[in-house]
Amino acid sequence: MSKISLYMDEDSTTRSLFIALKSRGIDVITALDANSLGFTDEEQLRKATSLNRVLYSYNIRDFYALHTYFLEQEITHAGIILVQQQKYSIGELMRGILKLINSKSSQNMINKIEFLSSWIN
């Protein structure tokens, strides 16, 4: 069972969250790290998948629609974690991500969406 690696899209890259996750041993990169700034949402999801990483984003509407499109077209993606922007503190986001990562494997995330709100108490 391999651990989830994260890919933070442009919309969701918060330096403080990135640093907090890195300091707790989470394998996380940003769109900047992947040289994919300015990519469309579909390109971001394909990039994350090509790197075997679950995409993390605040862009709920667009990525949910893209997830549905991928399923309809039988296109595989590595998984998506969605969260409402500015609803939670960095600590809450980090704890929710850690709980999710410690509960699911990367294989469990294939073609799945998780709403981080379900993992935040």
Side-chain angles (χ1 to χ4, degrees):
M1 186 162 100
S2 61
K3 236 173 168 36
I4 293 171
S5 298
L6 292 178
Y7 176 99
M8 297 176 81
D9 78 347
E10 284 181 72
D11 295 335
S12 68
T13 301
T14 305
R15 183 155 176 73
S16 53
L17 178 59
F18 177 79
I19 291 169
L21 292 170
K22 279 282 205 192
S23 72
R24 281 154 183 86
I26 301 304
D27 182 3
V28 57
I29 65 169
T30 66
L32 176 63
D33 297 328
N35 295 317
S36 54
L37 291 178
F39 281 21
T40 66
D41 292 338
E42 183 173 345
E43 291 168 334
Q44 295 283 2
L45 184 55
R46 288 181 185 275
K47 180 70 169 191
T49 298
S50 75
L51 298 170
N52 295 315
R53 293 177 176 276
V54 173
L55 185 133
Y56 174 88
S57 182
Y58 296 141
N59 190 347
I60 294 171
R61 184 189 70 223
D62 293 342
F63 278 107
Y64 192 84
L66 194 53
H67 164 72
T68 301
Y69 171 77
F70 270 45
L71 292 181
E72 288 170 350
Q73 299 302 311
E74 298 182 1
I75 302 169
T76 299
H77 66 76
I80 304 169
I81 298 171
L82 297 173
V83 64
Q84 188 174 353
Q85 188 172 9
Q86 300 177 350
K87 183 173 181 179
Y88 302 104
S89 70
I90 297 300
E92 289 170 319
L93 293 172
M94 184 196 58
R95 286 187 296 276
I97 291 168
L98 290 172
K99 190 183 289 186
L100 190 157
I101 286 176
N102 288 322
S103 299
K104 293 192 169 267
S105 70
S106 59
Q107 292 84 5
N108 295 139
M109 287 299 297
I110 294 172
N111 291 331
K112 301 284 190 307
I113 282 190
E114 285 289 336
F115 292 94
L116 197 58
S117 59
S118 300
W119 297 89
I120 296 173
N121 292 337

